[in-house]
Each structure stands twice: as structure tokens, then as C-alpha cells.
Amino acid sequence: MRRWVKVSVAAAVVLGVGGYVAQPYAQDWMLARDACDGVLPPDAVEQLTPEDAHLLDETSRLHGELGRYRCRLTAEGGSTGDGRLVVEAEAYTRRDDLDQQFMEIFPEEGFSPQATLPEGLPGFIDRHRLINLLLPCPSLGKDAEGRQRKLLVRTALGREANYGVPGAAYRTAVALANSASDRLGCGAEPLRAPTGGAVPRDPEDDAETVPLSEAGGTACGWMTEAGLPQDQGLRVAAGVNDAAPTGRCELTDRDGESKLSLVAWYGDWSNRLTSEHGVPRSMTATARCDGEAANFTLGRADDTPGIGEAVRRRLLKGFAEDQVRRRGCSGLRFS
């Protein structure tokens, strides 16, 4: 740590000295301490702040009656004059707000880039590189349709954040989610921050792949038994987290180009994704998981020798059955 610890000690000694608190490093310490109602890990803020900037401003807003919370921390710079983003979080507990957010994350057909979170955190990284965490809210009961109310917390990092810092972004997102749960009366079981892991700069391009023959130990290992051709250099990207509201198994060629995608969405919000322009999508499956809809579909499927319609249907069947088994779902049906 370059600044916060040294400044916190110094500031504690000289806060009474006129004018000192206006100095840049003391302001850094005070803003880091107060941002997001004081829940941000100081070392993580230090690591996520651009190297060439001091902190500029922090804001927090709680609308308990609306089930919303928002906070933001900025650093000096930026073209608009309101600073560069360091971290921002938005939290929602109302069903309409959650559905609206998921519509933004997964527009149209729903095949937006996504990446998994480490150590089973209940969420995913979306196409905007936001860390999304979705938690059940036992203290808020169920909505009018008998569904468990939930808390969605979306955490954004500045584009200049040091994404290579192991665990800093996830420690921040977890701290914000736990705090939002308390402030909005959610009552979720507190999350534990992962011990490491860096946020990918691009959820799609940075996805790790393994050769098909070596995918047996991944969350998409069932693909090794699906009768796929073994002589075309196919690789597997496993984007499955059993606690997340979405998951993905991707088949790519040796150059990383996607050849076939299988996606799962969990929650009634996803029912709109099972049709194209009002026409039911082919190659889909449905189930019931935790009292809500689950939808599985085969998306992009480029022409690849040895992967015809029969193999694709076998892949969808294997994917949906594996997901249902992992989640303890019921009522699996195929279109």
C-alpha cells in the first residue's frame, strides 16, 4: 500500500493542525474511509485507484422505501469534470427493478458476454464488466406471486482500475453487497470474499479454454461424452457457477472463435429470452428451479463438420440435464 496506511497514521496525529486535512493525501484517506458509508476495504480502494490520481468525491444514497441503494467514489481527472470512476455500486430489491436490470444485461436474444465469479460467489460479470451479485432476502419474504424476494448488487470499477490486482475488486463487491443487504433489510447470509482472482478486462475474449479432450474436470465436462469430433482442435470454455443466475458452456476452435454456445438463465425474468421476435426459439429446454423458471438454449452454432442437428440436440440435452442435476431442479422439458 502506497498511501492509505501511512496517511491514516499521520492524519490521526495531526487532524487538529489547521489546514492539514485539506492536503491531498489526507483527503484521500478521509474519502476512502467515508465512501459507501465506510464499508470499502481501504487496501482495495488503494489498489483500484488510478496511479496518477488523488480521490475527488464520494456520494451515498439510500431509498429504503424503494428498495434502492447507490454509492460512488471518484478520483481526479476525466473529461467531464466530475472525476474518474473508482468504484460505484447500485443495489435493488424490488422485482420490477431486478427485471429491468436483467433486461439491460441480457437484451434481445440474451447471448451477452458473461464470465463466472470465483469460489462460488452467487453472480457473474456482465458485458459491461460489472460484477453482479444476486442474493435471496429472507427478511423481505415473498412477492405477490409467491417468489422469494432478492437483492441484486451491481458493482462497477473505473476503466483505469488495476484489474490485475488479485482479489481487490471482489473484496470490494462483496463488502458492498453485504452492506446493501443490511441497509435494505434483505437479511441475506453474509458473503465471504474470495482469496484472490482478477476481474477479466473482457468477459468474452478473456475466457479461458481447454482442449475438448481435457475438459472432463470442468463444469462443462459432460461435453467430452457428447460425440463431438476429436480431430478439429475444438476447445471448451466453462462459464458455469452453480450459484449464479446464468451459466454458459462454449465450444470454440483452436483460434478461440466461438463455434457453439449453450446458455442457462435462472428466474422468471428469462422467459422472454426463449423466443425470437415472438416466435418460440428452437433448441430450448425449460425446468423449475427454486420456484421459478429456468431456461436453457443452444445459441450460436456455426457450421462445423461433425456437429449436425442430432449432435446439437444431444449437446442441449446434456447441458440441460447437467444443470438440472447441479441445481436440484425439476420438470425438465425440451422443445
Side-chain angles (χ1 to χ4, degrees):
M1 291 182 290
R2 300 179 303 278
R3 297 181 293 231
W4 309 139
V5 172
K6 293 180 181 179
V7 171
S8 64
V9 174
V13 175
V14 297
L15 274 176
V17 178
Y20 182 85
V21 293
Q23 297 301 315
Y25 287 107
Q27 178 173 290
D28 286 343
W29 170 70
M30 294 177 69
L31 288 173
R33 179 197 62 185
D34 296 339
C36 296
D37 297 290
V39 304
L40 297 180
D43 63 327
V45 175
E46 164 74 12
Q47 291 168 316
L48 295 172
T49 300
E51 290 284 347
D52 61 342
H54 290 286
L55 296 179
L56 177 67
D57 189 29
E58 63 87 14
T59 58
S60 299
R61 294 178 183 175
L62 173 66
H63 299 285
E65 71 282 1
L66 299 177
R68 298 179 184 174
Y69 174 75
R70 179 177 183 267
C71 71
R72 179 182 176 90
L73 177 64
T74 60
E76 296 170 338
S79 58
T80 61
D82 57 356
R84 289 182 283 181
L85 178 66
V86 175
V87 61
E88 181 176 36
E90 295 182 346
Y92 308 91
T93 59
R94 293 178 59 184
R95 173 66 65 165
D96 288 349
D97 287 331
L98 266 66
D99 289 349
Q100 182 178 9
Q101 292 299 311
F102 279 120
M103 288 179 69
E104 190 278 331
I105 297 170
F106 296 104
E108 300 177 356
E109 291 85 3
F111 292 97
S112 301
Q114 56 180 272
T116 56
L117 299 182
E119 299 184 23
L121 284 177
F124 61 99
I125 299 169
D126 65 27
R127 62 195 177 106
H128 301 302
R129 301 186 298 180
L130 271 65
I131 301 173
N132 297 268
L133 292 168
L134 185 67
L135 296 79
C137 293
S139 296
L140 296 180
K142 297 184 178 181
D143 65 16
E145 297 183 25
R147 300 172 297 191
Q148 174 65 60
R149 293 184 63 184
K150 298 178 181 179
L151 167 69
L152 174 64
V153 183
R154 306 188 68 192
T155 300
L157 305 175
R159 291 188 174 273
E160 296 179 62
N162 185 352
Y163 279 77
V165 177
Y170 297 129
R171 291 198 306 277
T172 300
V174 165
L176 288 165
N178 289 338
S179 175
S181 174
D182 291 339
R183 296 182 182 282
L184 294 173
C186 171
E189 188 73 21
L191 297 175
R192 295 183 61 181
T195 55
V199 175
R201 288 188 176 275
D202 189 311
E204 188 170 43
D205 294 341
D206 292 350
E208 294 185 6
T209 65
V210 297
L212 175 62
S213 60
E214 300 175 13
T218 72
C220 300
W222 55 270
M223 276 189 162
T224 61
E225 306 295 329
L228 291 165
Q230 300 289 323
D231 59 349
Q232 297 183 28
L234 296 175
R235 301 179 67 86
V236 174
V240 174
N241 175 335
D242 296 340
T246 181
R248 188 171 188 144
C249 288
E250 192 98 12
L251 197 66
T252 74
D253 62 18
R254 57 172 55 90
D255 297 322
E257 181 179 351
S258 177
K259 307 304 291 183
L260 182 145
S261 300
L262 292 148
V263 181
W265 305 292
Y266 294 93
D268 291 344
W269 59 270
S270 67
N271 286 333
R272 66 182 175 84
L273 300 175
T274 59
S275 64
E276 294 179 283
H277 308 295
V279 179
R281 190 198 302 269
S282 61
M283 294 280 190
T284 62
T286 61
R288 299 292 295 179
C289 303
D290 293 328
E292 293 194 53
N295 289 284
F296 315 97
T297 190
L298 185 148
R300 178 189 300 164
D302 293 347
D303 291 335
T304 301
I307 308 181
E309 182 174 348
V311 174
R312 293 175 185 176
R313 289 194 176 278
R314 189 158 63 245
L315 287 168
L316 175 62
K317 184 173 186 292
F319 177 63
E321 289 179 344
D322 182 72
Q323 289 288 293
V324 165
R325 176 186 59 79
R326 289 173 176 271
R327 299 275 189 142
C329 306
S330 61
L332 179 60
R333 296 183 179 181
F334 294 89
S335 63

